[in-house]
Amino acid sequence: MLRRVLRVIRRPLPLQRRWMIYVFWARAWPRFWGTLGYLVLKHWFGTEHAALPKVFGTPQLAKTPGAKIIIGREVVLVSSSIRATAATLLGPVRLHALSETAAILIGDGVGLNGTSITARSRTIRIGDHSMFAPNVVVVDSDFHSIWPAENRPYSPGFEHDADVTIGRNVWIGMRAIVLKGATIGDGAIIAAGSVVTGDIPGNVLAGGVPARVIRPLGSESPTGEAS
């Protein structure tokens, strides 16, 4: 065995074969242990899915009694940087519903890549076939009262929580943040690093802090700006 290992080190496999081995390892191994971990957490917390998602790396799933986490069909959950194509993931997919009124509703064909979604007391909806680039954060709360300042450590500010709605076929770029009360219309693209605080209409490219409409999307509009 040692001789074989030394032989491979001295004379590496052809590049094509090395690439094939890497592709197999990047897909098969994270999916094996990721699916196993997902099923354990699903059973433990009682989350729901219409069909078993494709899971790469173990996500973080947690919900309190009465809360809802519902996942549609053909959903992809990528929590492993080995499997992520565009960038290293800062963390696994995280779906947390923190009170009995909280809900995370994920439509069919959604792709999450190291995405953190936290519903404290309201509903976060994601429409069918929306795509999330690496390290996007979505929340329905500030998690503290805004004012007066001295109350922030003690007052949770539940009364200011607000629903978040992300439409169908939305593309959200890397490290974007979607805050409480935001709505994003069908077909919109949110540029990388943007912070969405309000309403973004459908079929537009939006970006910035806070995100604003940059231009409408047409049949010839490039989409690379969202990566």
Side-chain angles (χ1 to χ4, degrees):
M1 176 62 74
L2 180 59
R3 289 182 179 180
R4 291 182 180 180
V5 172
L6 292 175
R7 190 180 301 120
V8 170
I9 294 174
R10 292 173 181 173
R11 295 185 178 181
L13 297 171
L15 179 59
Q16 183 177 5
R17 184 166 294 183
R18 278 179 276 165
W19 175 251
M20 292 173 62
I21 292 172
Y22 171 78
V23 169
F24 173 80
W25 176 66
R27 290 179 178 271
W29 178 242
R31 187 168 185 182
F32 170 75
W33 55 264
T35 301
L36 181 62
Y38 167 84
L39 290 173
V40 170
L41 291 171
K42 177 187 178 298
H43 175 74
W44 185 264
F45 288 105
T47 60
E48 304 174 46
H49 63 227
L52 180 66
K54 293 181 180 179
V55 185
F56 299 91
T58 302
Q60 294 181 3
L61 305 179
K63 73 179 187 69
T64 60
K68 295 180 180 179
I69 298 177
I70 301 176
I71 299 172
R73 301 178 184 278
E74 299 181 355
V75 171
V76 180
L77 308 177
V78 179
S79 298
S80 170
S81 291
I82 299 172
R83 180 64 178 83
T85 303
T88 297
L89 302 183
L90 300 180
V93 171
R94 179 184 189 271
L95 306 179
H96 282 196
L98 304 180
S99 68
E100 62 181 9
T101 60
I104 299 173
L105 310 178
I106 299 174
D108 297 340
V110 172
L112 304 179
N113 292 270
T115 310
S116 175
I117 303 175
T118 304
R120 185 173 74 161
S121 65
R122 304 298 293 267
T123 298
I124 297 176
R125 295 179 176 86
I126 300 174
D128 296 346
H129 306 293
S130 288
M131 301 189 304
F132 289 69
N135 309 315
V136 172
V137 176
V138 184
V139 294
D140 70 341
S141 175
D142 298 317
F143 301 97
H144 298 280
S145 290
I146 297 175
W147 196 259
E150 58 269 19
N151 286 354
R152 290 173 190 162
Y154 314 106
S155 177
F158 280 100
E159 66 275 13
H160 301 298
D161 293 0
D163 295 345
V164 175
T165 301
I166 298 171
R168 297 165 54 91
N169 299 304
V170 172
W171 178 9
I172 301 183
M174 289 187 287
R175 294 199 179 189
I177 300 173
V178 182
L179 296 178
K180 65 173 190 177
T183 63
I184 302 174
D186 296 347
I189 295 176
I190 306 300
S194 299
V195 179
V196 183
T197 61
D199 296 342
I200 302 297
N203 301 313
V204 300
L205 171 64
V209 181
R212 297 283 186 266
V213 174
I214 297 173
R215 57 177 170 80
L217 293 171
S219 59
E220 299 181 358
S221 298
T223 58
E225 297 173 55
S227 297

